[in-house]
Amino acid sequence: MAAARGLVRVIGCSGVLPLCRQLPVWGRAARQPPSLPLTPCRAFSNNKIQVELDESSGIATMKFKSPPVNSLSLDFLTEFCISLEKLENDRACRAVIFTSAVPRVFSSGLDITEMCGKSTEHYATFWRAVQEMWLRLYSSNMMTVAAINGSSPAGGCLIALTCDYRIMVENPKFVIGLNETQLGIVAPFWFKDTFVNTVGHRIAERSLQLGSLHSASEAHKFGLVDELVPEEKLQEKTMAVVAQWLAIPDHARQLTKSMMRKAVLDRLVAHREEDIQNFVSFVSKESIQKSLRIYMEMLKKKKS
Amino acid sequence: MAAARGLVRVIGCSGVLPLCRQLPVWGRAARQPPSLPLTPCRAFSNNKIQVELDESSGIATMKFKSPPVNSLSLDFLTEFCISLEKLENDRACRAVIFTSAVPRVFSSGLDITEMCGKSTEHYATFWRAVQEMWLRLYSSNMMTVAAINGSSPAGGCLIALTCDYRIMVENPKFVIGLNETQLGIVAPFWFKDTFVNTVGHRIAERSLQLGSLHSASEAHKFGLVDELVPEEKLQEKTMAVVAQWLAIPDHARQLTKSMMRKAVLDRLVAHREEDIQNFVSFVSKESIQKSLRIYMEMLKKKKS
Amino acid sequence: MAAARGLVRVIGCSGVLPLCRQLPVWGRAARQPPSLPLTPCRAFSNNKIQVELDESSGIATMKFKSPPVNSLSLDFLTEFCISLEKLENDRACRAVIFTSAVPRVFSSGLDITEMCGKSTEHYATFWRAVQEMWLRLYSSNMMTVAAINGSSPAGGCLIALTCDYRIMVENPKFVIGLNETQLGIVAPFWFKDTFVNTVGHRIAERSLQLGSLHSASEAHKFGLVDELVPEEKLQEKTMAVVAQWLAIPDHARQLTKSMMRKAVLDRLVAHREEDIQNFVSFVSKESIQKSLRIYMEMLKKKKS
C-alpha cells in the first residue's frame, strides 16, 4: 500500500536542498515567522497542534501545543491525522518535523482519561485513532523527524519511534521509553514491532518488560534516539538532518522506507479489528480500570 | 498458550518488593537456611537440583548439584521440569534464580552419554525432554534469572539464554557459548532463535558457525550476558535485579514477555515432532556417533 | 536446498588446519605462484576473474581483475558463477577468498551500462545473473571471506555482505555501502535482507534510505565489516581468519550456515520471477533511464 502510494507520488529531486532563507522556527525560544506576503510560509493551526509549512524548503513543522503535557486525546489524534494527511497530499511538502510547544514535555502519551470510565464504543473509537496515527506516520512518504525537546513516555515515545530520525535534547531530566507495564498495562504488538525495528529484540524485551524510562543519554547509547543536542542547537541540528535526507531523490527514499517497514505495517493492517477488540476487552476489565484510576490519582497528587 | 496462561494466572502486585529478611542463600559459600517453623522458607531437594522457595519474597532458587559438571542428563532434565512446574503452579512463587552448587561450572550442557550408543527410542525421549525444558523455561510466567557462577557451554548456555536476565561472575576462566559445531554437531533451530533474540543475527551467525566459547567479559560486550560481577557480589546483585523486575505488576510483565517470545515458541511447538525426528536421525549417523565417541574419549583423558 | 546440499557434500575435517607451505598470494603486491609441478596450486583464469586454488590448504582465491573498477557486468557475473560452481564442486576446495587485483577498488557494483538503453530481455537476463551470483554465494558450502582492498559501493558491498566474514583495509579513502538511493534507484529486498542480517534493522533502514557510503572505520564500528587491517597485513590476517573457520568440522559449519540463511534465501527463490519483472519494469521507466544517463555522464566527467 505504502509502496503503491510511493510509486504514484514520485517527486523528482536531487542534489543539495535549497534551504529557504526564512526557516520555520520552533522550540522553547520559538517566534512566529511574520506572515508577510513575501514569505513562502503557510501555517494552519487547530486547537492542539500548530502546523507550519515552508514552501521553499518543503519542510513542515507540527508543534504540539496541548498543555499541560501534550497527552494524546481523541481530539489530539484526530487533529494529528488530519494535519498529516493535508501535508501528505501537498506536493510542496517533503518533510515534517515533530516537536513540542510545551516546556519539558514532548508528549506524555495516550490520554488515560480516554481509557477510564468510558463506553466500549468510546474505547474502540479511541484505539482506532491511535492505530490510524501510527499507520499514517510509519508509512508516510514524507521524511519525518522527531525533535524531542522534553520527556516522551509511552505513546510519546511511539511517535518518536515512528519517525525516520530522532534528535533529543540532552537534558538529564528528560526521559523516554515505553513504560506501559509500570501502569499495569501492555504495549500492543505494533508498538513492540516498531521498538524492535529500532533497538533490536533483546533491548526491547528487557525495556518493555521493565517499562523502563531512559535518560536521553542512555537512550542514545542503545539507539532509541539517534542524536543528542543541547537545547539551543536543536533547531539547527534538525534542519541539517532534514537537509541531508532531502538530498536523496524522494522516490528512491520513499520506496526504500516502504520496503523496510512493510512487514510491520502489514501486520497491523491484517489484525486491526482484532487488535481493537483486544484493547477494548483488556481496558474494560475491572482490574485494569482500577490500576488506571490509581495511576490518575497519583498524577493528580503529583501536580498539586 | 503462554499468553493464555498469563491471563489466567494474574498475580496483582505493584510498588516496591517487600524483600524477606532471610533470603535464600546460594553460590559457593552456600549455607542451608535452618528449617525452623518461623522461617517462611520451603525447600525440596531431589537428586540433581535443590530448590528453595522464600515465600515472603516469592523468590525461588534452583541450584544445580549434579557433579562433576551439571550435565543435562535425562534425569536432570526431568527433575528440572518437575521442579519448574511445581514453582509455576505455586501462587507464592514469582521469580526463579538458576545457579550452580558445583564449583566453576554452571552447566556443561547436554549429557553426551545420552546421545551415544543408545536406541533411537532413547534419543527421542531425551530430545523431547530437552525441548520440554526450553518450552517451559522460555514461556515461564515467573521472572527468571541465570546467576552464572561457572562455565556454561552448549545446553548450559541455552538455559542462561532462556532466562529473562543473565548475571555472570567475571572470572577469566569461565566461558559461555553455543559451541556445538566444535563437536561436529549443530545447534537446533530453536537454540539459534533464542540466541538471535538475545545477540542479533550477525553475532549469532558468526558465533554459532565457529562454535565460539566466549569469556565472560567478551560475552558481556555483545550482550550474551547482561551484567558481570565479582563472585562475592553475585547473590546481592541477583537479588537486586529480581527486586527490580518484581516491582512491575506481574500480569503486565507476563503478557509483555509472552508477546516478545511467542513467535519463537510457536515455531518449536509447530515443528516439535519433526525436530525430534531430525535429531534422532542425525545423532544415529555413524559419523556423528564417531565424533561424539572421540569427544568423550578426549574429555576422559582431560579429567585423568 | 542449501541444507540438502550440505548433507550430501559433507567433508569430514577436524582439528587444526594444515596450512600449506606455499599459500596463494594476492593483494596489491601480488606475485603469481610459479606453476612448478611440485606446487599443489591450480589456477584458472578467464577474462575478468583470476582463480587460484591451493589444494593442500583447500583455500581458493578469486581475484577480480576487470579494470578500471571491477564493475559487475553480465560477463563478470557469468564468470563469477562459473568459477564459484567449479570450486563448489571441487572436493579439494573448502574456502574462497574474494579480493581485487585492481588498485583502490574492490568492486564498484552493478555495471550501469547493462541497465541503460538496452532491451527488456537484456535487463531480465542481467538481473537473473545478479540473483544467481547472490544465491550461489550466500548459500555456498565453502567458507567465504571478503578481503576488501578498495572501495565497495552498491553491488560491491553486496558481495562483501554475502560472505561469511569481511576484512577491510583501513584506508580513509576506501568506502563501502549500499548507496543505490543516491542514484535514484532502490536496493532490492534481498540486498536489504542481507544487510539487515548483518547490521540489524535500524542501521540498515537509515543507511539504505540515505544511500550512505561509510568509511572503513565507520563500517567497522557498526558491524558492516568485521575487522580492519593495514593493507600490508591483509593477506596474513585473511589467512588467519580462514584457518580459524576451517578448524570447525565442515558439515557442522555448513549446516549451521544454512540454518542461519535459509529464510532469506528461500524468500528470493520464492519470488525470483516477480523480482525480475519488478527490476525490468522499474529500470525501463524513462525517469530511471534519465537518472542513470545523468549518473553515467557524471562518472565520465569525473574520469576525464
Side-chain angles (χ1 to χ4, degrees):
Chain A
M1 185 196 74
R5 276 198 290 152
L7 284 162
V8 171
R9 213 188 147 231
V10 166
I11 298 170
C13 168
S14 71
V16 177
L17 168 81
L19 277 173
C20 71
R21 286 144 311 184
Q22 191 158 13
L23 292 168
V25 176
W26 43 262
R28 281 228 292 208
R31 289 167 294 115
Q32 297 313 317
S35 296
L36 301 177
L38 289 172
T39 304
C41 208
R42 288 184 311 195
F44 51 94
S45 183
N46 298 308
N47 289 319
K48 300 181 182 300
I49 301 170
Q50 182 181 319
V51 183
E52 292 168 12
L53 169 60
D54 182 276
E55 292 206 329
S56 63
S57 68
I59 304 171
T61 303
M62 281 179 57
K63 210 183 297 181
F64 308 152
K65 54 171 185 89
S66 183
V69 290
N70 288 330
S71 62
L72 307 176
S73 62
L74 184 53
D75 285 350
F76 186 105
L77 293 167
T78 307
E79 260 193 56
F80 186 99
C81 287
I82 291 170
S83 303
L84 197 66
E85 193 182 15
K86 265 192 207 167
L87 296 173
E88 196 84 54
N89 293 330
D90 189 335
R91 291 271 177 144
C93 184
R94 298 176 61 216
V96 193
I97 296 159
F98 300 91
T99 197
S100 169
V102 171
R104 292 182 300 281
V105 178
F106 179 72
S107 162
S108 65
L110 303 186
D111 188 340
I112 290 173
T113 63
E114 305 279 13
M115 311 198 274
C116 217
K118 297 282 199 308
S119 68
T120 55
E121 287 73 26
H122 184 83
Y123 297 150
T125 304
F126 176 62
W127 199 246
R128 193 179 298 279
V130 181
Q131 293 176 332
E132 192 68 23
M133 185 257 314
W134 179 79
L135 287 169
R136 285 178 184 276
L137 186 53
Y138 205 53
S139 69
S140 174
N141 272 324
M142 301 177 288
M143 190 269 162
T144 54
V145 56
I148 309 163
N149 53 351
S151 284
S152 198
C157 178
L158 181 72
I159 291 181
L161 285 168
T162 307
C163 289
D164 292 318
Y165 201 82
R166 288 155 287 286
I167 305 175
M168 189 163 178
V169 167
E170 56 185 343
N171 185 323
K173 288 185 185 161
F174 295 170
V175 293
I176 186 167
L178 294 173
N179 61 323
E180 279 78 356
T181 60
Q182 298 237 18
L183 285 62
I185 58 175
V186 178
F189 71 89
W190 39 285
F191 281 50
K192 179 263 291 177
D193 287 344
T194 318
F195 200 27
V196 169
N197 271 358
T198 310
V199 300
H201 192 277
R202 171 57 188 160
I203 289 172
E205 183 181 89
R206 180 173 162 185
S207 183
L208 277 176
Q209 284 202 59
L210 289 173
S212 303
L213 287 172
H214 308 279
S215 69
S217 93
E218 192 184 28
H220 180 243
K221 251 175 226 144
F222 64 77
L224 173 49
V225 299
D226 296 301
E227 216 161 332
L228 296 182
V229 289
E231 181 130 21
E232 67 275 14
K233 295 279 185 191
L234 180 58
Q235 181 177 343
E236 181 189 331
K237 187 66 219 177
T238 304
M239 281 302 164
V241 164
V242 174
Q244 183 196 11
W245 286 64
L246 291 189
I248 302 299
D250 280 348
H251 68 282
R253 184 184 52 69
Q254 289 161 353
L255 288 170
T256 302
K257 177 174 178 174
S258 163
M259 175 175 66
M260 294 303 300
R261 300 186 167 191
K262 191 175 184 309
V264 159
L265 283 162
D266 285 353
R267 202 173 310 164
L268 179 56
V269 170
H271 298 283
R272 193 165 180 181
E273 297 308 318
E274 193 185 324
D275 183 59
I276 291 172
Q277 288 315 310
N278 278 346
F279 173 76
V280 171
S281 67
F282 184 79
V283 89
S284 303
K285 280 184 214 294
E286 189 38 49
S287 60
I288 301 300
Q289 285 292 312
K290 196 178 157 190
S291 287
L292 294 175
R293 279 194 305 268
I294 292 168
Y295 187 74
M296 285 202 299
E297 286 305 315
M298 200 189 75
L299 288 181
K300 272 180 204 163
K301 273 181 206 155
K302 221 173 160 184
K303 261 189 285 182
S304 60
Chain B
M1 186 195 75
R5 276 198 289 153
L7 283 162
V8 171
R9 213 186 148 230
V10 166
I11 299 170
C13 167
S14 71
V16 178
L17 169 79
L19 276 173
C20 71
R21 289 144 310 184
Q22 191 160 11
L23 292 167
V25 177
W26 41 262
R28 282 230 292 210
R31 290 167 293 116
Q32 296 313 315
S35 297
L36 299 177
L38 290 172
T39 305
C41 208
R42 286 185 312 195
F44 51 94
S45 182
N46 298 307
N47 289 319
K48 300 182 182 300
I49 302 170
Q50 182 181 318
V51 183
E52 291 169 11
L53 170 60
D54 182 276
E55 292 206 327
S56 63
S57 68
I59 304 171
T61 303
M62 281 178 58
K63 209 183 296 181
F64 307 153
K65 54 169 184 94
S66 184
V69 290
N70 288 331
S71 61
L72 307 176
S73 62
L74 185 53
D75 284 351
F76 186 106
L77 293 167
T78 307
E79 260 193 57
F80 186 99
C81 287
I82 290 171
S83 302
L84 197 65
E85 194 183 15
K86 265 192 205 169
L87 296 172
E88 196 83 54
N89 293 330
D90 188 335
R91 291 270 177 142
C93 184
R94 299 175 62 217
V96 193
I97 296 159
F98 300 91
T99 196
S100 169
V102 170
R104 291 182 301 282
V105 179
F106 178 72
S107 161
S108 65
L110 303 185
D111 187 341
I112 291 173
T113 63
E114 305 279 11
M115 310 200 276
C116 217
K118 297 282 201 305
S119 69
T120 54
E121 287 73 25
H122 184 84
Y123 298 149
T125 304
F126 177 63
W127 199 245
R128 191 179 298 279
V130 181
Q131 293 176 332
E132 192 67 24
M133 186 257 315
W134 179 79
L135 287 169
R136 284 178 184 275
L137 187 53
Y138 205 54
S139 70
S140 174
N141 272 324
M142 301 177 287
M143 189 270 161
T144 54
V145 56
I148 310 164
N149 53 350
S151 283
S152 198
C157 178
L158 181 72
I159 290 181
L161 285 169
T162 307
C163 289
D164 291 319
Y165 201 83
R166 287 155 286 288
I167 305 175
M168 189 163 178
V169 168
E170 56 184 343
N171 184 323
K173 288 185 185 162
F174 296 170
V175 292
I176 186 166
L178 294 173
N179 61 323
E180 279 78 356
T181 59
Q182 298 237 19
L183 286 62
I185 58 176
V186 178
F189 71 88
W190 39 286
F191 281 49
K192 179 264 289 179
D193 287 343
T194 319
F195 200 27
V196 169
N197 272 358
T198 310
V199 300
H201 192 278
R202 171 57 189 159
I203 289 173
E205 182 180 90
R206 180 174 162 183
S207 184
L208 277 176
Q209 284 202 60
L210 289 173
S212 304
L213 287 173
H214 307 279
S215 69
S217 94
E218 192 184 29
H220 180 244
K221 251 176 227 145
F222 64 78
L224 173 47
V225 299
D226 296 300
E227 217 162 329
L228 295 183
V229 289
E231 181 131 22
E232 66 276 13
K233 295 277 186 193
L234 180 58
Q235 181 176 345
E236 181 189 332
K237 188 66 217 177
T238 304
M239 282 302 164
V241 165
V242 173
Q244 183 195 14
W245 286 63
L246 292 189
I248 302 300
D250 280 349
H251 69 282
R253 185 185 51 71
Q254 289 160 353
L255 288 170
T256 302
K257 177 174 177 173
S258 163
M259 175 174 67
M260 294 303 300
R261 300 187 167 191
K262 191 175 183 310
V264 159
L265 283 162
D266 285 353
R267 201 173 310 163
L268 179 56
V269 170
H271 298 283
R272 191 165 181 181
E273 298 307 319
E274 194 184 325
D275 183 58
I276 292 172
Q277 288 315 311
N278 278 347
F279 174 76
V280 172
S281 67
F282 183 78
V283 89
S284 302
K285 279 185 215 294
E286 189 39 47
S287 60
I288 300 300
Q289 285 292 313
K290 196 179 156 190
S291 289
L292 295 175
R293 279 194 304 268
I294 291 168
Y295 187 73
M296 285 202 298
E297 285 305 315
M298 201 190 75
L299 288 181
K300 274 181 204 161
K301 273 180 205 154
K302 221 174 160 185
K303 261 189 284 180
S304 59
Chain C
M1 185 195 76
R5 277 199 289 151
L7 283 163
V8 171
R9 214 188 146 228
V10 166
I11 299 169
C13 167
S14 71
V16 178
L17 169 79
L19 275 173
C20 72
R21 287 145 310 185
Q22 191 159 12
L23 292 168
V25 177
W26 42 263
R28 280 231 292 209
R31 291 167 291 116
Q32 296 313 317
S35 295
L36 299 176
L38 290 172
T39 304
C41 208
R42 288 185 309 197
F44 52 94
S45 183
N46 299 306
N47 289 319
K48 299 180 183 302
I49 302 171
Q50 180 181 319
V51 184
E52 291 169 12
L53 169 60
D54 182 277
E55 291 206 328
S56 62
S57 68
I59 304 170
T61 303
M62 282 178 58
K63 211 183 296 181
F64 307 151
K65 55 169 185 90
S66 183
V69 290
N70 288 330
S71 63
L72 307 176
S73 62
L74 184 53
D75 285 350
F76 185 106
L77 292 167
T78 307
E79 260 193 56
F80 186 98
C81 287
I82 291 171
S83 302
L84 197 66
E85 194 183 14
K86 265 192 205 168
L87 296 173
E88 196 83 54
N89 293 330
D90 188 336
R91 291 271 177 143
C93 184
R94 299 176 60 216
V96 193
I97 296 158
F98 300 91
T99 197
S100 169
V102 170
R104 292 181 300 281
V105 178
F106 178 72
S107 162
S108 65
L110 303 185
D111 188 340
I112 290 173
T113 62
E114 305 279 12
M115 310 199 274
C116 216
K118 298 282 200 303
S119 68
T120 55
E121 287 73 25
H122 184 84
Y123 297 150
T125 304
F126 176 62
W127 199 245
R128 192 179 298 279
V130 181
Q131 293 175 332
E132 191 68 24
M133 185 256 318
W134 179 79
L135 286 169
R136 285 177 183 276
L137 186 54
Y138 205 53
S139 69
S140 174
N141 272 324
M142 302 177 286
M143 190 269 161
T144 54
V145 56
I148 310 163
N149 53 351
S151 283
S152 198
C157 178
L158 180 72
I159 291 181
L161 285 169
T162 306
C163 289
D164 292 318
Y165 201 83
R166 288 155 285 286
I167 305 175
M168 189 164 178
V169 168
E170 56 184 344
N171 185 323
K173 288 185 186 162
F174 296 170
V175 293
I176 186 167
L178 293 173
N179 61 324
E180 279 78 356
T181 59
Q182 298 237 18
L183 285 62
I185 58 175
V186 178
F189 72 88
W190 38 285
F191 281 50
K192 180 264 290 177
D193 288 342
T194 318
F195 200 27
V196 169
N197 272 358
T198 309
V199 300
H201 192 278
R202 171 56 189 158
I203 290 172
E205 184 181 88
R206 180 174 162 185
S207 183
L208 277 176
Q209 283 202 59
L210 289 172
S212 304
L213 286 173
H214 308 280
S215 70
S217 94
E218 193 184 29
H220 180 243
K221 251 176 226 143
F222 64 78
L224 172 48
V225 299
D226 296 299
E227 217 162 330
L228 295 182
V229 289
E231 180 130 22
E232 67 275 14
K233 295 278 185 191
L234 180 57
Q235 181 177 343
E236 181 189 331
K237 187 66 217 176
T238 305
M239 281 302 165
V241 165
V242 174
Q244 184 195 13
W245 286 63
L246 292 189
I248 302 300
D250 280 348
H251 69 281
R253 184 184 51 69
Q254 288 160 353
L255 288 171
T256 302
K257 177 173 178 174
S258 164
M259 175 175 66
M260 294 303 301
R261 300 187 166 192
K262 190 173 184 310
V264 159
L265 283 162
D266 285 353
R267 201 173 311 164
L268 179 57
V269 170
H271 298 284
R272 192 164 181 182
E273 297 308 318
E274 195 184 324
D275 183 59
I276 292 172
Q277 288 315 309
N278 278 347
F279 173 77
V280 171
S281 68
F282 184 79
V283 88
S284 302
K285 278 186 216 295
E286 189 38 49
S287 60
I288 301 299
Q289 286 292 313
K290 196 179 156 190
S291 288
L292 295 175
R293 280 194 303 269
I294 291 168
Y295 187 74
M296 287 202 297
E297 285 305 314
M298 200 190 75
L299 288 181
K300 273 180 204 161
K301 272 180 204 155
K302 221 175 161 183
K303 259 189 285 181
S304 58

